[in-house]
Amino acid sequence: MGWVDAMTKLLSSFSVAIENLPHIAVAYSDAVAARVLGEVWKRLAAIFGTEMWNVCQRSWGVSLDFCGDDVSNSLRADAVEFALVTASRRPVTIGSHLILPCLGVSFDAMVRLETSVALNASQYRLDMCAAALAYGALCAGNIHFAEQPITRCGGQAEPLYNECLARLIGDEGSVILTGTYLGALERLGVVRGFDREVVCEVLRQLHIRPDAVLGCNISGMSVVRDIWWTSILDELTRFPDVAERLVIEITETAPLPDVADALVFIAALRRTGVRVALDDFGVGNSSLSFAREARVDIIKIDRSFVRGRETGDGGQHRLRHLIGLVRDFTAAVVVEGIENDADLKVATDAGADWFQGYYFQRPELPEHASDRAVYAETGRLY
């Protein structure tokens, strides 16, 4: 069964694989991995624990089979998505360790995970600590957004949109810096659940702020058309007025798991009315050919092209050349990192339409935000 079919059909048999189970075994121990496996089984059994479902623990995860008489009682994709989110959102506690399981759905009866894993165990455990800290803040509802506009020269016209920059608040009220956890989430393969939470929160903002046009980042690793995005795509389809005010920015800090699948996912987003942007373009993992084939709505050119004028490496010439290349297949070109008059002149001379940076506005909480007091207490917005 393909993913597109799975989104619309009832699911009566599927497998939930703990994709990072071999990595956990190497970084911690086989015993710890076994306990993570047992906890995931318990969580899924609690969710599906009725006489209509067989929930069986396997060496790689959990298999689920519908055993009721009426197939209409089997599950739709959004129910499976809810189970995945519920089972993986909270870290598994084993002694002093907090471990996040990376869950994926398969429609194969047997799942084969990697048998030979090479990794730096110390780095993996450090990454897991950072990722657990980020997910802990999510579970506590301690996610807030500082917003920064993408604007035209002079800032007189309405912004193209406001980018929402996630700010997590720790237990002691301090801001958890993005650099502390984002790379760890990508290296561990658990960034998709985090990105899903970010998009859900931005959608909530769009529902309660009918005049807002907002954008948010998701990792390239999250650009996969799978069951994790079922409810979000459904919501965007049901509320086109919300979809047309959302911009999804795809960051290039990690490679796309599958280019063909990424194109399907982007097309699915755009069909709902969402605009798609490629962030930090020119220095990351996306190629010019991918950008052309994806037909994204917005390309955001990395700040290094503006900074290049200062280092004498031909950044200004490269910026002009890149803008000329992408203008043929995207509706808007944004240059990031505008901090002063000289930056703005370089970007304007190169032919950019839109700009983002401290020169226009630092990221800040919107005036209506009820959580402004949190940031006032910490003194940290950026």
Side-chain angles (χ1 to χ4, degrees):
M1 184 189 302
W3 285 115
V4 175
D5 293 333
M7 299 304 163
T8 57
K9 292 184 177 179
L10 293 171
L11 306 182
S12 58
S13 180
F14 59 96
S15 301
V16 177
I18 306 175
E19 296 173 349
N20 60 344
L21 198 63
H23 304 80
I24 294 169
V26 171
Y28 298 93
S29 69
D30 289 336
V32 169
R35 291 184 63 182
V36 171
L37 174 59
E39 178 60 24
V40 170
W41 171 79
K42 288 179 182 178
R43 292 179 183 184
L44 291 174
I47 297 169
F48 296 106
T50 71
E51 57 187 19
M52 292 190 297
W53 283 90
N54 286 325
V55 185
C56 299
Q57 183 173 310
R58 308 296 184 187
S59 62
W60 37 261
V62 178
S63 66
L64 297 103
D65 296 287
F66 182 71
C67 55
D69 296 328
D70 185 357
V71 71
S72 66
N73 289 321
S74 55
L75 298 172
R76 294 192 180 275
D78 55 355
V80 178
E81 175 197 11
F82 170 80
L84 291 181
V85 172
T86 303
S88 62
R89 196 170 186 256
R90 181 166 47 88
V92 177
T93 302
I94 301 176
S96 61
H97 302 303
L98 296 175
I99 300 174
L100 286 162
C102 178
L103 304 185
V105 169
S106 171
F107 299 107
D108 297 327
M110 290 298 297
V111 176
R112 291 177 176 81
L113 298 179
E114 300 175 71
T115 56
S116 178
V117 175
L119 55 81
N120 182 320
S122 296
Q123 182 62 54
Y124 191 90
R125 290 193 294 267
L126 287 172
D127 284 345
M128 191 62 78
C129 289
L133 182 67
Y135 268 77
L138 281 182
C139 288
N142 291 333
I143 182 170
H144 313 273
F145 292 107
E147 297 180 12
Q148 187 176 43
I150 285 77
T151 187
R152 287 195 185 276
C153 184
Q156 296 177 352
E158 285 294 315
L160 186 61
Y161 62 95
N162 282 353
E163 181 181 357
C164 294
L165 303 166
R167 300 293 186 256
L168 300 180
I169 309 300
D171 292 338
E172 298 178 355
S174 60
V175 174
I176 306 172
L177 299 178
T178 306
T180 303
Y181 62 84
L182 187 56
L185 294 174
E186 290 183 327
R187 289 189 293 270
L188 294 174
V190 295
V191 72
R192 195 175 311 165
F194 181 87
D195 285 344
R196 180 189 176 280
E197 295 283 347
V198 168
V199 175
C200 284
E201 178 58 25
V202 172
L203 285 175
R204 190 183 74 83
Q205 292 292 324
L206 289 170
H207 278 292
I208 64 177
R209 297 164 57 190
D211 296 327
V213 183
L214 303 176
C216 63
N217 292 314
I218 66 171
S219 167
M221 294 184 69
S222 300
V223 186
V224 179
R225 177 73 163 104
D226 69 2
I227 216 161
W228 279 89
W229 295 107
T230 303
S231 62
I232 287 176
L233 287 169
D234 178 63
E235 181 175 352
L236 292 169
T237 301
R238 289 186 295 112
F239 297 97
D241 59 314
V242 169
E244 68 184 11
R245 293 185 289 115
L246 175 64
V247 178
I248 295 293
E249 296 189 12
I250 300 171
T251 65
E252 300 194 331
T253 51
L256 301 167
D258 184 281
V259 171
D261 200 34
L263 292 173
V264 172
F265 176 72
I266 290 171
L269 281 176
R270 296 188 73 224
R271 279 196 299 272
T272 69
V274 168
R275 285 175 291 173
V276 177
L278 290 183
D279 196 17
D280 302 325
F281 190 78
V283 298
N285 289 281
S286 290
S287 65
L288 194 64
S289 60
F290 172 78
R292 182 181 291 109
E293 191 171 0
R295 305 297 295 184
V296 294
D297 304 277
I298 302 161
I299 288 183
K300 300 180 70 178
I301 296 177
D302 187 75
R303 67 185 61 238
S304 63
F305 288 87
V306 171
R307 299 278 82 76
R309 79 175 200 282
E310 300 170 353
T311 59
D313 66 355
Q316 184 171 356
H317 172 74
R318 292 187 296 120
L319 178 61
R320 183 181 298 110
H321 178 66
L322 186 56
I323 290 175
L325 288 174
V326 302
R327 190 177 291 282
D328 290 338
F329 54 83
T330 192
V333 180
V334 180
V335 174
E336 301 176 293
I338 306 300
E339 297 184 0
N340 51 50
D341 287 322
D343 292 344
L344 181 60
K345 185 176 189 311
V346 167
T348 303
D349 291 348
D353 304 311
W354 298 90
F355 312 92
Q356 183 177 6
Y358 285 9
Y359 179 78
F360 298 100
Q361 183 178 303
R362 287 178 173 268
E364 62 181 30
L365 285 173
E367 290 297 328
H368 71 277
S370 60
D371 47 13
R372 179 175 290 276
V374 174
Y375 286 89
E377 291 173 2
T378 64
R380 298 282 293 279
L381 267 174
Y382 315 110

Tab-separated table of all heavy atoms in Angstrom, residues 110-164:
chain	number	residue	atom	x	y	z
A	110	MET	N	7.134	-7.797	8.167
A	110	MET	CA	8.444	-7.853	8.803
A	110	MET	C	9.202	-6.562	8.511
A	110	MET	O	9.190	-6.059	7.389
A	110	MET	CB	9.249	-9.045	8.286
A	110	MET	CG	8.714	-10.385	8.758
A	110	MET	SD	8.775	-10.550	10.563
A	110	MET	CE	10.536	-10.458	10.851
A	111	VAL	N	9.854	-6.036	9.520
A	111	VAL	CA	10.647	-4.817	9.389
A	111	VAL	C	12.100	-5.170	9.646
A	111	VAL	O	12.416	-5.895	10.597
A	111	VAL	CB	10.186	-3.742	10.390
A	111	VAL	CG1	11.080	-2.515	10.304
A	111	VAL	CG2	8.730	-3.374	10.128
A	112	ARG	N	12.981	-4.674	8.819
A	112	ARG	CA	14.402	-4.940	9.003
A	112	ARG	C	15.120	-3.633	9.322
A	112	ARG	O	15.121	-2.710	8.512
A	112	ARG	CB	15.005	-5.572	7.749
A	112	ARG	CG	14.511	-6.999	7.509
A	112	ARG	CD	15.065	-7.580	6.220
A	112	ARG	NE	14.675	-8.971	6.052
A	112	ARG	CZ	13.501	-9.377	5.595
A	112	ARG	NH1	12.595	-8.465	5.262
A	112	ARG	NH2	13.209	-10.654	5.480
A	113	LEU	N	15.682	-3.570	10.507
A	113	LEU	CA	16.468	-2.410	10.909
A	113	LEU	C	17.935	-2.670	10.624
A	113	LEU	O	18.347	-3.803	10.352
A	113	LEU	CB	16.264	-2.135	12.404
A	113	LEU	CG	14.839	-1.801	12.854
A	113	LEU	CD1	14.804	-1.583	14.358
A	113	LEU	CD2	14.308	-0.575	12.142
A	114	GLU	N	18.719	-1.601	10.687
A	114	GLU	CA	20.158	-1.748	10.490
A	114	GLU	C	20.721	-2.728	11.519
A	114	GLU	O	20.368	-2.696	12.696
A	114	GLU	CB	20.869	-0.401	10.672
A	114	GLU	CG	20.411	0.682	9.710
A	114	GLU	CD	21.064	2.011	10.040
A	114	GLU	OE1	22.277	2.144	9.804
A	114	GLU	OE2	20.359	2.872	10.563
A	115	THR	N	21.615	-3.585	11.052
A	115	THR	CA	22.247	-4.528	11.972
A	115	THR	C	23.645	-4.081	12.374
A	115	THR	O	24.148	-4.486	13.417
A	115	THR	CB	22.330	-5.926	11.338
A	115	THR	OG1	23.031	-5.829	10.078
A	115	THR	CG2	20.935	-6.490	11.090
A	116	SER	N	24.256	-3.248	11.557
A	116	SER	CA	25.599	-2.764	11.866
A	116	SER	C	25.564	-1.241	11.930
A	116	SER	O	25.342	-0.566	10.919
A	116	SER	CB	26.596	-3.225	10.789
A	116	SER	OG	27.888	-2.727	11.057
A	117	VAL	N	25.737	-0.708	13.120
A	117	VAL	CA	25.637	0.729	13.335
A	117	VAL	C	26.961	1.252	13.868
A	117	VAL	O	27.492	0.739	14.851
A	117	VAL	CB	24.511	1.061	14.338
A	117	VAL	CG1	24.503	2.545	14.646
A	117	VAL	CG2	23.162	0.619	13.782
A	118	ALA	N	27.495	2.265	13.200
A	118	ALA	CA	28.720	2.915	13.669
A	118	ALA	C	28.362	4.321	14.118
A	118	ALA	O	27.806	5.104	13.340
A	118	ALA	CB	29.765	2.957	12.546
A	119	LEU	N	28.635	4.622	15.359
A	119	LEU	CA	28.359	5.969	15.853
A	119	LEU	C	29.264	6.277	17.035
A	119	LEU	O	29.866	5.388	17.645
A	119	LEU	CB	26.885	6.122	16.245
A	119	LEU	CG	26.263	5.143	17.260
A	119	LEU	CD1	26.599	5.520	18.689
A	119	LEU	CD2	24.739	5.141	17.091
A	120	ASN	N	29.370	7.567	17.331
A	120	ASN	CA	30.096	8.035	18.500
A	120	ASN	C	29.128	8.000	19.674
A	120	ASN	O	28.222	8.826	19.776
A	120	ASN	CB	30.615	9.457	18.253
A	120	ASN	CG	31.429	10.001	19.407
A	120	ASN	OD1	31.097	9.785	20.567
A	120	ASN	ND2	32.486	10.738	19.098
A	121	ALA	N	29.301	7.012	20.552
A	121	ALA	CA	28.337	6.792	21.624
A	121	ALA	C	28.223	8.002	22.543
A	121	ALA	O	27.122	8.365	22.970
A	121	ALA	CB	28.716	5.550	22.427
A	122	SER	N	29.350	8.644	22.844
A	122	SER	CA	29.311	9.803	23.742
A	122	SER	C	28.523	10.941	23.125
A	122	SER	O	27.697	11.581	23.789
A	122	SER	CB	30.730	10.266	24.075
A	122	SER	OG	31.429	9.265	24.787
A	123	GLN	N	28.773	11.215	21.827
A	123	GLN	CA	28.049	12.275	21.143
A	123	GLN	C	26.562	11.945	21.048
A	123	GLN	O	25.707	12.818	21.198
A	123	GLN	CB	28.617	12.505	19.740
A	123	GLN	CG	27.952	13.650	18.964
A	123	GLN	CD	28.133	14.983	19.648
A	123	GLN	OE1	29.256	15.377	19.949
A	123	GLN	NE2	27.036	15.691	19.907
A	124	TYR	N	26.251	10.675	20.805
A	124	TYR	CA	24.852	10.263	20.706
A	124	TYR	C	24.118	10.522	22.020
A	124	TYR	O	22.991	11.033	22.021
A	124	TYR	CB	24.773	8.785	20.342
A	124	TYR	CG	23.389	8.307	19.962
A	124	TYR	CD1	22.955	8.350	18.643
A	124	TYR	CD2	22.506	7.817	20.920
A	124	TYR	CE1	21.688	7.920	18.283
A	124	TYR	CE2	21.236	7.387	20.572
A	124	TYR	CZ	20.833	7.442	19.248
A	124	TYR	OH	19.570	7.017	18.894
A	125	ARG	N	24.772	10.200	23.129
A	125	ARG	CA	24.127	10.419	24.431
A	125	ARG	C	23.971	11.905	24.727
A	125	ARG	O	22.951	12.327	25.300
A	125	ARG	CB	24.944	9.725	25.528
A	125	ARG	CG	24.876	8.203	25.458
A	125	ARG	CD	25.424	7.559	26.725
A	125	ARG	NE	26.849	7.795	26.882
A	125	ARG	CZ	27.810	6.974	26.460
A	125	ARG	NH1	27.481	5.853	25.812
A	125	ARG	NH2	29.076	7.254	26.675
A	126	LEU	N	24.961	12.715	24.323
A	126	LEU	CA	24.831	14.163	24.497
A	126	LEU	C	23.686	14.709	23.659
A	126	LEU	O	22.897	15.548	24.120
A	126	LEU	CB	26.140	14.858	24.120
A	126	LEU	CG	27.306	14.719	25.096
A	126	LEU	CD1	28.578	15.303	24.483
A	126	LEU	CD2	26.990	15.416	26.409
A	127	ASP	N	23.601	14.239	22.426
A	127	ASP	CA	22.502	14.664	21.553
A	127	ASP	C	21.153	14.267	22.147
A	127	ASP	O	20.187	15.034	22.094
A	127	ASP	CB	22.658	14.033	20.165
A	127	ASP	CG	23.727	14.697	19.322
A	127	ASP	OD1	24.158	15.814	19.677
A	127	ASP	OD2	24.133	14.106	18.300
A	128	MET	N	21.084	13.077	22.723
A	128	MET	CA	19.821	12.611	23.292
A	128	MET	C	19.415	13.485	24.481
A	128	MET	O	18.224	13.778	24.672
A	128	MET	CB	19.935	11.153	23.713
A	128	MET	CG	18.604	10.510	24.071
A	128	MET	SD	17.413	10.463	22.683
A	128	MET	CE	18.050	9.090	21.718
A	129	CYS	N	20.385	13.920	25.275
A	129	CYS	CA	20.071	14.825	26.392
A	129	CYS	C	19.471	16.133	25.873
A	129	CYS	O	18.482	16.635	26.416
A	129	CYS	CB	21.331	15.117	27.212
A	129	CYS	SG	21.923	13.725	28.192
A	130	ALA	N	20.075	16.685	24.819
A	130	ALA	CA	19.581	17.939	24.246
A	130	ALA	C	18.191	17.754	23.640
A	130	ALA	O	17.300	18.594	23.804
A	130	ALA	CB	20.555	18.451	23.192
A	131	ALA	N	17.991	16.638	22.934
A	131	ALA	CA	16.691	16.376	22.311
A	131	ALA	C	15.616	16.165	23.360
A	131	ALA	O	14.478	16.646	23.229
A	131	ALA	CB	16.790	15.150	21.402
A	132	ALA	N	15.946	15.449	24.437
A	132	ALA	CA	14.974	15.225	25.513
A	132	ALA	C	14.602	16.539	26.187
A	132	ALA	O	13.442	16.740	26.578
A	132	ALA	CB	15.549	14.240	26.536
A	133	LEU	N	15.568	17.445	26.309
A	133	LEU	CA	15.288	18.763	26.879
A	133	LEU	C	14.283	19.520	26.010
A	133	LEU	O	13.325	20.127	26.509
A	133	LEU	CB	16.588	19.558	26.995
A	133	LEU	CG	16.508	20.949	27.627
A	133	LEU	CD1	16.150	20.847	29.100
A	133	LEU	CD2	17.848	21.678	27.459
A	134	ALA	N	14.487	19.462	24.694
A	134	ALA	CA	13.574	20.152	23.770
A	134	ALA	C	12.183	19.547	23.819
A	134	ALA	O	11.170	20.262	23.884
A	134	ALA	CB	14.134	20.086	22.350
A	135	TYR	N	12.096	18.228	23.800
A	135	TYR	CA	10.786	17.584	23.845
A	135	TYR	C	10.108	17.799	25.194
A	135	TYR	O	8.877	17.879	25.277
A	135	TYR	CB	10.928	16.088	23.548
A	135	TYR	CG	10.776	15.755	22.085
A	135	TYR	CD1	11.805	15.983	21.185
A	135	TYR	CD2	9.592	15.226	21.595
A	135	TYR	CE1	11.676	15.673	19.838
A	135	TYR	CE2	9.434	14.926	20.249
A	135	TYR	CZ	10.478	15.144	19.374
A	135	TYR	OH	10.334	14.860	18.041
A	136	GLY	N	10.911	17.884	26.254
A	136	GLY	CA	10.323	18.178	27.565
A	136	GLY	C	9.632	19.526	27.584
A	136	GLY	O	8.543	19.678	28.152
A	137	ALA	N	10.259	20.518	26.940
A	137	ALA	CA	9.642	21.843	26.851
A	137	ALA	C	8.364	21.789	26.017
A	137	ALA	O	7.360	22.437	26.347
A	137	ALA	CB	10.634	22.837	26.248
A	138	LEU	N	8.378	20.990	24.933
A	138	LEU	CA	7.178	20.837	24.115
A	138	LEU	C	6.040	20.224	24.928
A	138	LEU	O	4.903	20.691	24.892
A	138	LEU	CB	7.469	19.951	22.905
A	138	LEU	CG	8.192	20.560	21.716
A	138	LEU	CD1	8.334	19.520	20.617
A	138	LEU	CD2	7.470	21.776	21.182
A	139	CYS	N	6.353	19.160	25.643
A	139	CYS	CA	5.322	18.467	26.427
A	139	CYS	C	4.720	19.386	27.486
A	139	CYS	O	3.541	19.269	27.827
A	139	CYS	CB	5.916	17.227	27.091
A	139	CYS	SG	6.285	15.881	25.938
A	140	ALA	N	5.543	20.304	28.007
A	140	ALA	CA	5.066	21.244	29.026
A	140	ALA	C	4.346	22.446	28.413
A	140	ALA	O	3.854	23.311	29.140
A	140	ALA	CB	6.242	21.712	29.876
A	141	GLY	N	4.278	22.495	27.094
A	141	GLY	CA	3.636	23.626	26.427
A	141	GLY	C	4.479	24.880	26.420
A	141	GLY	O	3.962	25.981	26.180
A	142	ASN	N	5.783	24.730	26.648
A	142	ASN	CA	6.652	25.903	26.749
A	142	ASN	C	7.320	26.237	25.419
A	142	ASN	O	8.542	26.334	25.313
A	142	ASN	CB	7.725	25.671	27.820
A	142	ASN	CG	7.140	25.647	29.209
A	142	ASN	OD1	6.106	26.266	29.457
A	142	ASN	ND2	7.783	24.921	30.118
A	143	ILE	N	6.507	26.380	24.383
A	143	ILE	CA	7.001	26.819	23.085
A	143	ILE	C	6.353	28.153	22.748
A	143	ILE	O	5.140	28.335	22.916
A	143	ILE	CB	6.734	25.775	21.981
A	143	ILE	CG1	7.313	26.270	20.638
A	143	ILE	CG2	5.251	25.443	21.856
A	143	ILE	CD1	7.325	25.232	19.551
A	144	HIS	N	7.169	29.096	22.342
A	144	HIS	CA	6.720	30.438	21.996
A	144	HIS	C	7.399	30.832	20.686
A	144	HIS	O	8.330	30.170	20.242
A	144	HIS	CB	7.067	31.430	23.100
A	144	HIS	CG	6.702	30.942	24.467
A	144	HIS	ND1	5.454	31.140	25.025
A	144	HIS	CD2	7.414	30.249	25.395
A	144	HIS	CE1	5.415	30.591	26.216
A	144	HIS	NE2	6.590	30.038	26.471
A	145	PHE	N	6.924	31.888	20.077
A	145	PHE	CA	7.488	32.305	18.801
A	145	PHE	C	7.843	33.785	18.824
A	145	PHE	O	7.002	34.624	19.171
A	145	PHE	CB	6.507	32.057	17.654
A	145	PHE	CG	6.271	30.605	17.367
A	145	PHE	CD1	5.076	30.007	17.715
A	145	PHE	CD2	7.254	29.839	16.759
A	145	PHE	CE1	4.847	28.671	17.466
A	145	PHE	CE2	7.046	28.496	16.495
A	145	PHE	CZ	5.846	27.911	16.852
A	146	ALA	N	9.085	34.079	18.455
A	146	ALA	CA	9.455	35.444	18.109
A	146	ALA	C	9.248	35.573	16.605
A	146	ALA	O	9.547	34.634	15.855
A	146	ALA	CB	10.905	35.716	18.488
A	147	GLU	N	8.725	36.701	16.161
A	147	GLU	CA	8.404	36.872	14.746
A	147	GLU	C	9.290	37.932	14.114
A	147	GLU	O	9.607	38.945	14.744
A	147	GLU	CB	6.931	37.254	14.584
A	147	GLU	CG	5.980	36.171	15.067
A	147	GLU	CD	4.516	36.542	14.905
A	147	GLU	OE1	4.224	37.553	14.203
A	147	GLU	OE2	3.657	35.849	15.486
A	148	GLN	N	9.678	37.665	12.870
A	148	GLN	CA	10.481	38.621	12.109
A	148	GLN	C	9.899	38.734	10.703
A	148	GLN	O	9.676	37.721	10.043
A	148	GLN	CB	11.942	38.171	12.044
A	148	GLN	CG	12.863	39.209	11.402
A	148	GLN	CD	14.313	38.783	11.432
A	148	GLN	OE1	14.639	37.628	11.155
A	148	GLN	NE2	15.206	39.708	11.759
A	149	PRO	N	9.645	39.966	10.240
A	149	PRO	CA	8.990	40.123	8.933
A	149	PRO	C	9.951	39.951	7.766
A	149	PRO	O	11.143	40.239	7.868
A	149	PRO	CB	8.452	41.553	8.985
A	149	PRO	CG	9.419	42.269	9.883
A	149	PRO	CD	9.835	41.264	10.919
A	150	ILE	N	9.408	39.474	6.657
A	150	ILE	CA	10.084	39.519	5.352
A	150	ILE	C	9.454	40.705	4.641
A	150	ILE	O	8.236	40.732	4.400
A	150	ILE	CB	9.876	38.217	4.562
A	150	ILE	CG1	10.745	37.084	5.142
A	150	ILE	CG2	10.265	38.417	3.116
A	150	ILE	CD1	10.236	36.479	6.388
A	151	THR	N	10.267	41.714	4.344
A	151	THR	CA	9.718	43.006	3.942
A	151	THR	C	10.367	43.516	2.660
A	151	THR	O	11.395	43.010	2.214
A	151	THR	CB	9.921	44.031	5.080
A	151	THR	OG1	9.249	45.232	4.758
A	151	THR	CG2	11.398	44.301	5.315
A	152	ARG	N	9.748	44.531	2.086
A	152	ARG	CA	10.343	45.225	0.939
A	152	ARG	C	11.230	46.345	1.440
A	152	ARG	O	11.202	46.708	2.619
A	152	ARG	CB	9.249	45.786	0.025
A	152	ARG	CG	8.514	44.716	-0.785
A	152	ARG	CD	7.729	45.374	-1.901
A	152	ARG	NE	6.912	44.434	-2.632
A	152	ARG	CZ	7.349	43.677	-3.646
A	152	ARG	NH1	8.618	43.749	-4.013
A	152	ARG	NH2	6.523	42.859	-4.267
A	153	CYS	N	11.982	46.934	0.529
A	153	CYS	CA	12.881	48.031	0.884
A	153	CYS	C	12.082	49.193	1.472
A	153	CYS	O	11.078	49.621	0.900
A	153	CYS	CB	13.647	48.492	-0.353
A	153	CYS	SG	14.870	49.768	-0.018
A	154	GLY	N	12.517	49.662	2.623
A	154	GLY	CA	11.830	50.758	3.280
A	154	GLY	C	10.743	50.299	4.225
A	154	GLY	O	10.287	51.056	5.077
A	155	GLY	N	10.295	49.056	4.086
A	155	GLY	CA	9.297	48.499	4.990
A	155	GLY	C	7.940	49.157	4.897
A	155	GLY	O	7.134	49.053	5.815
A	156	GLN	N	7.654	49.837	3.775
A	156	GLN	CA	6.392	50.569	3.678
A	156	GLN	C	5.233	49.659	3.273
A	156	GLN	O	4.110	49.871	3.700
A	156	GLN	CB	6.541	51.712	2.671
A	156	GLN	CG	7.562	52.754	3.128
A	156	GLN	CD	7.763	53.841	2.086
A	156	GLN	OE1	7.257	53.751	0.985
A	156	GLN	NE2	8.510	54.875	2.448
A	157	ALA	N	5.502	48.655	2.461
A	157	ALA	CA	4.447	47.737	2.039
A	157	ALA	C	4.219	46.679	3.118
A	157	ALA	O	5.015	46.520	4.036
A	157	ALA	CB	4.835	47.071	0.721
A	158	GLU	N	3.095	45.974	2.997
A	158	GLU	CA	2.826	44.870	3.912
A	158	GLU	C	3.917	43.818	3.766
A	158	GLU	O	4.377	43.533	2.661
A	158	GLU	CB	1.460	44.247	3.597
A	158	GLU	CG	0.278	45.072	4.065
A	158	GLU	CD	0.200	45.158	5.580
A	158	GLU	OE1	0.370	44.119	6.248
A	158	GLU	OE2	-0.005	46.272	6.092
A	159	PRO	N	4.335	43.211	4.881
A	159	PRO	CA	5.335	42.144	4.781
A	159	PRO	C	4.821	40.978	3.933
A	159	PRO	O	3.609	40.751	3.832
A	159	PRO	CB	5.534	41.708	6.243
A	159	PRO	CG	5.039	42.847	7.070
A	159	PRO	CD	3.943	43.487	6.269
A	160	LEU	N	5.741	40.274	3.319
A	160	LEU	CA	5.375	39.056	2.601
A	160	LEU	C	4.767	38.067	3.599
A	160	LEU	O	3.743	37.444	3.325
A	160	LEU	CB	6.620	38.460	1.937
A	160	LEU	CG	6.430	37.252	1.027
A	160	LEU	CD1	5.529	37.600	-0.156
A	160	LEU	CD2	7.794	36.743	0.537
A	161	TYR	N	5.409	37.939	4.750
A	161	TYR	CA	4.886	37.177	5.893
A	161	TYR	C	5.830	37.406	7.058
A	161	TYR	O	6.897	38.007	6.901
A	161	TYR	CB	4.763	35.675	5.585
A	161	TYR	CG	6.061	34.961	5.260
A	161	TYR	CD1	6.786	34.278	6.247
A	161	TYR	CD2	6.562	34.945	3.956
A	161	TYR	CE1	7.959	33.617	5.952
A	161	TYR	CE2	7.737	34.282	3.655
A	161	TYR	CZ	8.439	33.621	4.642
A	161	TYR	OH	9.604	32.967	4.343
A	162	ASN	N	5.442	36.949	8.233
A	162	ASN	CA	6.308	36.989	9.401
A	162	ASN	C	6.828	35.582	9.672
A	162	ASN	O	6.028	34.644	9.827
A	162	ASN	CB	5.552	37.481	10.642
A	162	ASN	CG	5.376	38.989	10.633
A	162	ASN	OD1	5.913	39.686	9.775
A	162	ASN	ND2	4.612	39.491	11.569
A	163	GLU	N	8.135	35.437	9.735
A	163	GLU	CA	8.692	34.135	10.077
A	163	GLU	C	8.609	33.922	11.581
A	163	GLU	O	9.004	34.781	12.374
A	163	GLU	CB	10.151	34.019	9.628
A	163	GLU	CG	10.745	32.657	9.962
A	163	GLU	CD	12.190	32.506	9.546
A	163	GLU	OE1	12.741	33.443	8.931
A	163	GLU	OE2	12.773	31.447	9.849
A	164	CYS	N	8.081	32.769	11.984
A	164	CYS	CA	7.986	32.405	13.404
A	164	CYS	C	9.220	31.611	13.800
A	164	CYS	O	9.473	30.530	13.254
A	164	CYS	CB	6.734	31.562	13.648
A	164	CYS	SG	5.191	32.447	13.399
